[in-house]
Amino acid sequence: AQSVTQPDIHITVSEGASLELRCNYSYGATPYLFWYVQSPGQGLQLLLKYFSGDTLVQGIKGFEAEFKRSQSSFNLRKPSVHWSDAAEYFCAGGGSSNTGKLIFGQGTTLQVKP
Amino acid sequence: GAGVSQTPSNKVTEKGKYVELRCDPISGHTALYWYRQSLGQGPEFLIYFQGTGAADDSGLPNDRFFAVRPEGSVSTLKIQRTERGDSAVYLCASSLIGLGAGGNTEAFFGQGTRLTVV
C-alpha cells in the first residue's frame, strides 16, 4: 500500500543549528513528493516539490530536500534554523495514477530553542 | 481572491444535524481536493474533483459524506447526521491540473473549516 512516514513526531533544535526532517515513502512507481509547513491556525504552505529530474530540490525560506530512490526517502534540510521556523511540517506524496490523491505523513513538530 | 477560500472558518453543530462546507478554489484551477485533518494528524484525503466530476472519492468515510462541484468551480462538502467523530478541520485545495496528470503542479490549500460536533 502507498504510504508516507515521518518517523520523528517532535524535534527540538537550537536557533542557528542545522535541521533535517525525515520522510520515507512507499510507492510502486516514481512518486511526486512535497513538503508543507503549517503554523498554528494557518493553512498548509508549500515549501518545495519533487516531480522528476534533479533529485536535490530547493524551496522557499532556505529549505531543500533530496530525493533518494535507493532509500525511499525525501528528507527536508535547512543549514541554519530561525526561531520563525517553529511549526508543523508535513511530507506528502502521490503516485502517477492520476488520482490526484496526496498521502500525508503524520507530521513533525519543530521546536526552536533560543 | 488570490487563494483558496473556505467558509465558514468555524462551524459548531449539534450531533445529528446536517452541515455544508464551502470551498472557492483559485480561479482557473481544474482540480479540487477535500481533506480532513484531525488533531495531531496529517491531512487525510477525502475526494478529488477534476472539473465537475469526482475522479476519486475513495477517501469519503461513509455515505453520510457527499461533495459536489456542479459548475467546475465552487465545491460543497455535505455531511448528514453529523457525529462527534466528524469533528476535525476540513481542508480544501486546488491545483491547475490534477497532481497525477503528468505535469509539474502543486496544490494550494485553504485555511480550512473547523467543524465541531457537540
Side-chain angles (χ1 to χ4, degrees), chain B residues 2-110:
Chain B
V4 177
S5 176
Q6 292 187 246
T7 53
S9 56
N10 280 283
K11 176 71 176 179
V12 179
T13 191
E14 292 180 348
K15 179 176 177 294
K17 298 290 189 183
Y18 168 83
V19 295
E20 290 188 350
L21 311 180
R22 176 187 169 104
C23 173
D24 277 276
I26 293 173
S27 178
H29 280 195
T30 65
L32 185 145
Y33 318 83
W34 284 99
Y35 286 81
R36 178 169 70 175
Q37 186 175 22
S38 300
L39 195 62
Q41 302 293 318
E44 177 188 21
F45 172 80
L46 295 177
I47 187 168
Y48 156 51
F49 285 92
Q50 182 56 52
T52 61
D56 183 351
D57 64 357
S58 61
L60 294 177
N62 51 59
D63 61 6
R64 295 186 298 105
F65 288 75
F66 189 71
V68 295
R69 195 187 185 199
E71 298 179 356
S73 178
V74 171
S75 176
T76 304
L77 178 65
K78 309 180 181 193
I79 310 174
Q80 298 176 322
R81 303 182 305 279
T82 52
E83 300 177 356
R84 293 196 177 88
D86 298 335
S87 297
V89 176
Y90 288 81
L91 297 169
C92 178
S94 70
S95 59
L96 189 59
I97 61 173
L99 288 175
N104 186 338
T105 188
E106 64 185 81
F108 294 84
F109 282 81

